[in-house]
């Protein structure tokens, strides 16, 4: 299977004097201080830009903008003046979001090309900021439209931007900085494509074969069959997939960019339920279609591995994803069944809709046994309850390690993929004790996200630093943002890429 990345806009950096057409985007700082390019366009248009700003009440505030259409005296069809506020105060994801917001304002009807003159009035814009701006624009450019039949030519809205040129003082430095960001872009969009793909197309086998394509980028990929998993004793994962016609798989992705000196790998584990009907504990029909996105954790792991490989990250990382379809059938697991996980722990299945934790149990145990990782981070669209607690703003963070938690929370603030830590503890752990087996797979109505996390922790060795991210509210059906309008957000790729850059890479 080809590795395809949805990315139609070509982006390049050019020097400020390069020739132009289409849209021009120029900037002003707070107090209406125009950048040199804005001043230049204002002069060429005999003051139209200043006049337009005045009429619109534009003061250069961050996020504000003024549009001038069909201006005289320049070769642009449109001039977009964008406020920067105080660019020296920009932090975290501000440049990415600005890039996304600017990209969102350009339709392509103005011409095939948009030229962004990325300069402020007084403040310096660093090459990294320029690269972030470009990443934001490219992230916003994503759409999942492979199943839309062709729009008619009469529909002028069908026009899309072909080329985005970012004019920046030092295009070579910006292009160099953008190299890593392009890898991240490809990783995020790879994850988004997987999340958006319907489950009749994206079976566990199809997911595994798309992951296999990462070998081209330098990732070593192994896919386990049901027979192999059976031999390994993965009774928890297999119990979930057994009701489906589509056989289960586990995919293992290794990126060895850290070499010998890099030591033991960091492990990233993902829930890959390609569709979650709930099984015999069948879900109600309303909104069930969203359960095609119940593989958002696995999608993030795959996207992250691609990003690490493409930017040649100096880290050893292993990704493990459990790929299953949770279906009701004559062969499906029943409530009350007892199964044995690879770790030897026996599990009483109370609710077949609490399937993600069963899949992760065997993935988590396998990765610790086989790779002795220095840390394990898992991602899963695990519980509806995490949305009750945190909405769609923060993902839930559960961890046995304060340092890892702090690092993750900081990476969340840097990237805008925010985390909020929730508790673990013995009183929550007791909720999953079973009368007939070692543990049961649900802990009752209250604290549902926490008892799910406690279940996972039963498969974590005491000295393994571990974090679980419950991304049910952030991986799919996300609110429209400056950098994403698609249903699948690709949540977690930028977050974990940032964590690895900041703390796990050799310098
Ligand atoms: N995949 C769901 C969680 C989910 C719900 C993700 C909505 C995204 C949006 C998970 O497998 C599930 O069904 N969880 C149950 C657990 C319960 C049966 C203990 C839930 O949250 O209701
Ligand atoms: Mn479920
Ligand atoms: Zn699920």
């Amino acid at each position: 299977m080809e590795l395809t990345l949805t990315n139609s806009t070509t982006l390049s950096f050019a020097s400020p004097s390069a020739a132009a057409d289409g849209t021009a985007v120029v900037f002003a700082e707070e107090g209406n201080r125009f950048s040199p390019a804005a001043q230049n366009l204002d002069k060429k248009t005999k003051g139209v830009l200043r006049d337009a700003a005045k009429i619109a009440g534009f003061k250069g505030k961050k996020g504000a903008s003024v549009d001038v259409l069909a201006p005289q005296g320049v070769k642009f069809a449109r001039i977009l003046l964008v406020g920067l506020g105080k660019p020296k105060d920009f932090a975290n994801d501000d440049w990415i979001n600005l890039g996304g917001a600017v990209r969102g304002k350009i339709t392509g009807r103005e011409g095939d090309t948009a030229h962004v003159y990325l300069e402020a009035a007084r403040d310096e814009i660093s090459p990294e900021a320029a690269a972030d701006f470009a990443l934001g624009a490219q992230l916003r450019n994503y759409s999942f439209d492979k199943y839309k039949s062709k729009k008619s030519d009469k529909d002028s809205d069908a026009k899309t931007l072909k080329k985005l040129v970012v004019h920046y003082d030092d295009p070579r430095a910006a292009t160099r900085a953008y190299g890593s960001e392009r890898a991240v872009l490809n990783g995020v969009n790879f994850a988004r494509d997987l999340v958006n793909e319907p489950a009749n197309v994206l079976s566990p086998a199809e997911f595994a074969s798309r992951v296999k394509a990462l070998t081209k980028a330098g990732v070593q990929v192994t896919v386990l069959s049901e027979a192999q998993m059976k031999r390994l004793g993965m009774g928890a994962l297999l119990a979930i997939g057994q009701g489906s016609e589509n056989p289960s798989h586990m995919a293992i992705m290794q990126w060895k960019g850290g070499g010998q000196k890099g030591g033991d790998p960091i492990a990233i584990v993902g829930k890959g339920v390609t569709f979650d009907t709930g099984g015999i504990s069948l879900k109600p029909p309303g909104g069930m279609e969203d359960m095609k996105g119940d593989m958002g954790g696995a999608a993030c792991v795959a996207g992250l591995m691609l990003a690490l490989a493409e930017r040649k990250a100096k880290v050893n990382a292993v990704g493990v994803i459990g790929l299953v379809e949770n279906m009701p059938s004559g062969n499906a697991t029943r409530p009350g069944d007892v199964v044995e996980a690879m770790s030897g722990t026996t599990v009483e299945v109370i609710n077949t809709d609490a399937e993600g934790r069963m899949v992760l149990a065997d993935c988590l145990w396998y990765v610790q046994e086989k790779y002795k990782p220095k840390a394990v981070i898992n991602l899963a669209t695990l519980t509806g309850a995490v949305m009750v607690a945190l909405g769609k703003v923060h993902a839930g963070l559960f961890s046995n390690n304060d340092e890892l938690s702090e690092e993750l929370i900081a990476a969340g603030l840097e990237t805008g993929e925010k985390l909020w830590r929730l508790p673990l503890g013995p009183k929550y752990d007791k909720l999953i004790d079973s009368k007939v087996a070692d543990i049961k797979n649900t802990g009752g109505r209250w604290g549902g996200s926490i008892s799910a996390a406690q279940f996972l922790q039963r498969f974590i060795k005491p000295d393994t630093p571990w974090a679980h991210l419950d991304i049910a509210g952030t991986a799919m059906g996300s609110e429209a943002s400056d950098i994403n309008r698609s249903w699948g957000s690709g949540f977690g790729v930028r977050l974990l890429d940032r964590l690895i850059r900041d703390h796990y890479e050799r310098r």
Side-chain angles (χ1 to χ4, degrees):
M1 166 79 34
E2 268 302 303
L3 180 66
T4 54
L5 301 158
T6 314
N7 191 354
S8 60
T9 300
T10 53
L11 179 142
S12 59
F13 292 98
S15 68
S17 57
D21 57 61
T23 304
V25 181
V26 291
F27 297 92
E29 286 183 39
E30 201 155 282
N32 240 352
R33 279 194 281 271
F34 279 25
S35 71
Q39 288 177 32
N40 183 29
L41 286 182
D42 185 54
K43 206 188 280 164
K44 282 195 179 144
T45 57
K46 301 202 168 73
V48 160
L49 219 49
R50 287 268 176 212
D51 289 348
K54 199 167 185 183
I55 294 164
F58 175 88
K59 303 249 161 56
K61 284 225 168 74
K62 184 167 140 191
S65 66
V66 185
D67 241 321
V68 180
L69 302 178
Q72 295 297 297
V74 291
K75 52 194 161 186
F76 297 110
R78 177 182 179 193
I79 302 172
L80 183 63
L81 175 65
V82 176
L84 288 174
K86 294 185 180 123
K88 70 168 168 16
D89 293 347
F90 274 30
N92 302 330
D93 54 342
D94 283 342
W95 285 109
I96 292 185
N97 287 336
L98 185 73
V102 166
R103 173 64 190 89
K105 288 179 193 294
I106 306 164
T107 65
R109 282 192 300 273
E110 315 90 333
D112 286 349
T113 306
H115 294 265
V116 177
Y117 295 87
L118 190 59
E119 51 176 8
R122 294 192 300 201
D123 290 355
E124 283 278 326
I125 298 175
S126 70
E128 290 73 30
D132 273 352
F133 179 94
L135 172 62
Q138 289 286 54
L139 284 169
R140 176 64 176 267
N141 190 60
Y142 173 90
S143 66
F144 184 78
D145 49 15
K146 66 190 274 197
Y147 298 112
K148 292 272 193 194
S149 325
K150 227 185 183 140
K151 284 185 194 164
S152 82
D153 289 344
K154 277 176 274 168
D155 181 2
S156 58
D157 281 335
K159 279 241 185 287
T160 53
L161 187 66
K162 296 262 166 26
K163 195 166 178 195
L164 185 69
V165 184
V166 179
H167 299 259
Y168 177 74
D169 257 346
D170 188 349
R172 289 184 60 202
T175 304
R176 203 178 315 121
Y178 184 67
S180 294
E181 305 301 333
R182 189 183 14 238
V184 173
L185 169 74
N186 290 341
V188 173
N189 284 348
F190 189 65
R192 286 173 174 176
D193 277 347
L194 289 166
V195 173
N196 287 323
E197 195 69 81
N200 60 327
V201 175
L202 196 74
S203 61
E206 171 64 14
F207 197 129
S209 99
R210 291 192 189 193
V211 161
K212 268 266 182 203
L214 297 181
T215 42
K216 273 191 221 151
V219 180
Q220 293 173 20
V221 183
T222 314
V223 176
L224 303 184
S225 66
E226 284 191 345
Q228 287 170 303
M229 290 190 282
K230 202 165 186 173
R231 262 180 285 178
L232 286 162
M234 296 182 171
L237 183 152
L238 290 168
I240 301 306
Q242 77 185 35
S244 172
E245 294 282 334
N246 296 315
S248 304
H249 292 284
M250 182 177 289
I252 299 109
M253 295 159 262
Q254 281 180 276
W255 169 248
K256 296 176 177 169
Q260 284 284 312
K261 278 192 209 146
D264 294 332
I266 179 170
I268 317 290
V269 174
K271 168 179 173 180
V273 176
T274 58
F275 197 78
D276 179 15
T277 64
I280 297 300
S281 314
L282 193 64
K283 285 181 182 296
M288 203 204 277
E289 67 278 9
D290 283 355
M291 287 303 111
K292 74 170 185 176
D294 209 17
M295 28 54 70
C300 171
V301 176
L304 176 69
M305 298 305 292
L306 177 60
L308 294 178
E310 283 199 358
R311 71 175 182 80
K312 306 234 177 319
K314 291 190 169 62
V315 68
N316 295 328
V318 56
V320 174
I321 57 180
L323 302 167
V324 308
E325 186 176 50
N326 187 22
M327 295 293 250
S329 83
N331 192 42
T333 290
R334 292 156 288 252
D337 286 2
V338 175
V339 299
E340 185 177 340
M342 184 189 176
S343 69
T345 300
T346 55
V347 182
E348 181 190 8
V349 178
I350 300 297
N351 189 322
T352 62
D353 197 12
E355 85 296 343
R357 60 199 76 180
M358 308 270 296
V359 173
L360 288 169
D362 284 334
C363 296
L364 290 168
W365 192 256
Y366 177 79
V367 81
Q368 290 170 97
E369 284 285 284
K370 179 128 192 193
Y371 297 100
K372 311 267 175 282
K374 58 173 76 137
V376 177
I377 299 167
N378 74 258
L379 304 100
T381 48
L382 202 64
T383 65
V386 82
M387 283 187 268
V388 176
L390 301 175
K392 291 180 151 275
V393 179
H394 290 84
L397 162 66
F398 301 83
S399 180
N400 61 3
N401 188 291
D402 291 344
E403 195 183 336
L404 179 59
S405 297
E406 292 305 323
E407 291 172 358
L408 278 163
I409 288 167
L413 292 173
E414 281 181 69
T415 55
E417 297 192 324
K418 295 195 190 100
L419 305 175
W420 197 265
R421 192 174 180 184
L422 293 165
L424 292 165
K427 284 194 173 159
Y428 295 113
D429 190 55
K430 258 172 62 83
L431 296 173
I432 55 167
D433 286 339
S434 162
K435 288 203 182 79
V436 300
D438 297 334
I439 54 175
K440 56 185 179 182
N441 79 332
T442 59
R445 186 160 153 65
W446 307 117
S449 300
I450 306 175
S451 52
Q454 293 291 168
F455 183 98
L456 300 182
Q457 198 178 6
R458 296 277 187 133
F459 299 90
I460 296 295
K461 298 181 180 185
D463 47 6
T464 305
W466 160 74
H468 152 53
L469 310 182
D470 194 334
I471 59 171
T474 52
M476 55 166 126
S478 0
E479 260 129 54
S481 77
D482 284 340
I483 57 169
N484 182 45
R485 295 291 152 127
S486 115
W487 185 74
S489 63
F491 184 94
V493 175
R494 289 187 303 116
L495 171 81
L496 295 182
D497 177 77
R498 175 51 60 190
L499 176 85
I500 287 171
R501 278 194 216 199
D502 288 352
H503 300 288
Y504 290 88
E505 257 182 280
R506 290 202 293 125
R507 290 178 201 279

